[in-house]
Amino acid sequence: MTLKELFKPTIIFFEIINSPVMFQTIINKIFWNLINTGKVTSFIDNIIVGTEEKEEHDEVIEKVVRRLAKNNLYVKPEKYK
């Protein structure tokens, strides 16, 4: 607690033993319905989108990026391939 309000961390402290599990749980929660369709898979900091059609792929990518932005998460452009 600080003098003005409760302290709320905005990052995960990676010294914590369970932080990878915590991060994976957060990602799974954000993308649960896309993961359930089988079009999105996540593993730690990798999000894989797989679809049959290019148009559908673009739609899913847009949903993924919107959810990341909504949750104050970002991706490194150099990791796009």
Side-chain angles (χ1 to χ4, degrees):
M1 188 161 162
T2 66
L3 295 175
K4 294 185 178 184
E5 58 190 53
L6 291 176
F7 174 73
K8 182 179 177 185
T10 57
I11 60 168
I12 293 178
F13 300 103
F14 281 96
E15 297 84 32
I16 299 173
I17 293 172
N18 291 331
S19 59
V21 174
M22 291 169 51
F23 185 76
Q24 184 67 56
T25 301
I26 292 166
I27 294 297
N28 288 345
K29 221 175 204 185
I30 293 169
F31 295 109
W32 71 271
N33 62 341
L34 292 174
I35 291 170
N36 287 341
T37 65
K39 296 174 184 167
V40 173
T41 302
S42 69
F43 181 71
I44 310 292
D45 64 344
N46 295 302
I47 300 170
I48 302 165
V49 176
T51 60
E52 302 260 341
E53 303 293 324
K54 182 177 178 2
E55 294 79 23
E56 183 182 22
H57 187 81
D58 293 343
E59 289 173 17
V60 175
I61 292 287
E62 185 176 334
K63 288 178 184 178
V64 167
V65 171
R66 286 184 188 276
R67 288 187 192 190
L68 288 170
K70 180 180 176 187
N71 289 280
N72 296 318
L73 297 170
Y74 61 93
V75 292
K76 292 182 179 181
E78 60 269 15
K79 285 187 77 173
Y80 285 125
K81 293 191 179 197

